[in-house]
C-alpha cells in the first residue's frame, strides 16, 4: 500500500529521492523549497510547490527532509501524521550537527557515512532508519566527499522507502554515548590557520 509524503529540500538529492518515491508507487503530495531546480522539477511533475512551510496546509503520511537547509516548522511536522525522516550527511551519532564532511576531513577520518534518521527528540538524535559508510580517499575534498554522501544517500534510499512503508518498525535508537556535535559557530583550532610545516593529514 502506498503512502503520501511532503518533501522539504534544496538540492538535486531532493529531486532524485522524490523521483524514487513516485517510481516506488508512493505519492509526493507537495514540495517545500526555495531552490529553483527543485521548484522546476516539482512544477513539471504537477506537484504543488511552497516556498515556506507557513503556506502549506495539507496533510500527509510522512515528511521527508532531504538536503534541507531551512528550519522545519512545528506546524509542518504536525502535518505528517506518521512522522518525519531527515537525511544527514554524516554517520550518527559520531558526526551530528553541521558540515559533517568538512569536520571528518579535518579530523583525518579514514571513513565517513550518511544517515537517514527519524526527526524526534534533540537535533540529529532520532532513531536511525538507514546508514551507509564509505572510505575517504587521500585526495578527497569537501566537494568530493559531499558528492559521495549524496551517492550513498541514493544507494540506500530504497531501504528508507521500505522502512516507511512498514511504519519504521526497524528503526534503531542511537547510542548517544558516542555522540559528537558540531554547531553553527564551531570553528577549527586556531581559526583554521594553516601550519605549512605540518603534514597534510
Amino acid at each position: 500500500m502506498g503512502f503520501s509524503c511532503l518533501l522539504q529540500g534544496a538540492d538535486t538529492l531532493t529531486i532524485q529521492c522524490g523521483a524514487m518515491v513516485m517510481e516506488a508507487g508512493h505519492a509526493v503530495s507537495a514540495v517545500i523549497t526555495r531552490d529553483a531546480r527543485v521548484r522546476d522539477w516539482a512544477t513539471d511533475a504537477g506537484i504543488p510547490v511552497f516556498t515556506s512551510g507557513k503556506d502549506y496546509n495539507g496533510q500527509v503520511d510522512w515528511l521527508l527532509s532531504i538536503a534541507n537547509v531551512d528550519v522545519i516548522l512545528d506546524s509542518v511536522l504536525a502535518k505528517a501524521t506518521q512522522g518525519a525522516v531527515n537525511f544527514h550527511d554524516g554517520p550518527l551519532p559520531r558526526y551530528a550537527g553541521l558540515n559533517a564532511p568538512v569536520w571528518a576531513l579535518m579530523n583525518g577520518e579514514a571513513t565517513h557515512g550518511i544517515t537517514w534518521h527519524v526527526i524526534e527528540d534533540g537535533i540529529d538524535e532520532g532513531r536511525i532508519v538507514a546508514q551507509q559508510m564509505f572510505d575517504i580517499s587521500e585526495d578527497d575534498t569537501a566537494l568530493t566527499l559531499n558528492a559521495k554522501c549524496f551517492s550513498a544517500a541514493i544507494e540506500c534510499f530504497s531501504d528508507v522507502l521500505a522502512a516507511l512503508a512498514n511504519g519504521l518498525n526497524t528503526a534503531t535508537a542511537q547510542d548517544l554515548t558516542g555522540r559528537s556535535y558540531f554547531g553553527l559557530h564551531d570553528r577549527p583550532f586556531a581559526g583554521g590557520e594553516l601550519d605549512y610545516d605540518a603534514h597534510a593529514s
Side-chain angles (χ1 to χ4, degrees):
M1 181 176 176
F3 57 76
S4 61
C5 67
L6 168 67
L7 298 185
Q8 183 164 345
D11 213 310
T12 55
L13 182 61
T14 315
I15 297 171
Q16 291 172 289
C17 290
M20 290 180 68
V21 169
M22 294 186 291
E23 289 168 2
H26 308 297
V28 177
S29 299
V31 172
I32 298 174
T33 189
R34 292 184 289 110
D35 183 88
R37 296 164 299 176
V38 179
R39 181 195 63 225
D40 290 346
W41 166 78
T43 300
D44 289 344
I47 302 169
V49 181
F50 301 87
T51 56
S52 170
K54 295 178 181 179
D55 301 323
Y56 178 69
N57 293 311
Q59 191 173 70
V60 291
D61 295 319
W62 299 101
L63 166 65
L64 300 181
S65 171
I66 306 173
N68 176 41
V69 296
D70 293 326
V71 174
I72 301 174
L73 301 177
D74 288 340
S75 61
V76 174
L77 285 171
K79 299 293 195 303
T81 60
Q82 296 194 50
V85 170
N86 179 63
F87 161 71
H88 181 69
D89 59 356
L92 295 176
R94 177 70 180 87
Y95 277 91
L98 301 174
N99 304 312
V102 176
W103 287 107
L105 287 173
M106 293 188 63
N107 291 336
E109 300 285 4
T111 60
H112 193 58
I114 62 92
T115 308
W116 292 94
H117 68 92
V118 183
I119 298 176
E120 57 189 352
D121 304 321
I123 298 174
D124 296 336
E125 292 185 0
R127 289 168 293 154
I128 293 174
V129 179
Q131 191 169 71
Q132 185 158 313
M133 302 295 295
F134 48 84
D135 292 335
I136 297 178
S137 303
E138 290 186 2
D139 58 351
D140 266 328
T141 64
L143 177 62
T144 61
L145 196 53
N146 269 297
K148 285 184 176 181
C149 287
F150 276 26
S151 178
I154 288 294
E155 288 176 11
C156 66
F157 189 62
S158 58
D159 295 334
V160 176
L161 292 177
L164 292 172
N166 290 321
L168 298 184
N169 293 329
T170 58
T172 58
Q174 297 185 42
D175 178 5
L176 298 180
T177 60
R179 174 179 166 89
S180 295
Y181 180 82
F182 300 88
L184 177 63
H185 300 293
D186 285 338
R187 295 294 184 269
F189 176 74
E193 181 178 348
L194 297 178
D195 178 357
Y196 290 101
D197 294 323
H199 190 275
S201 62

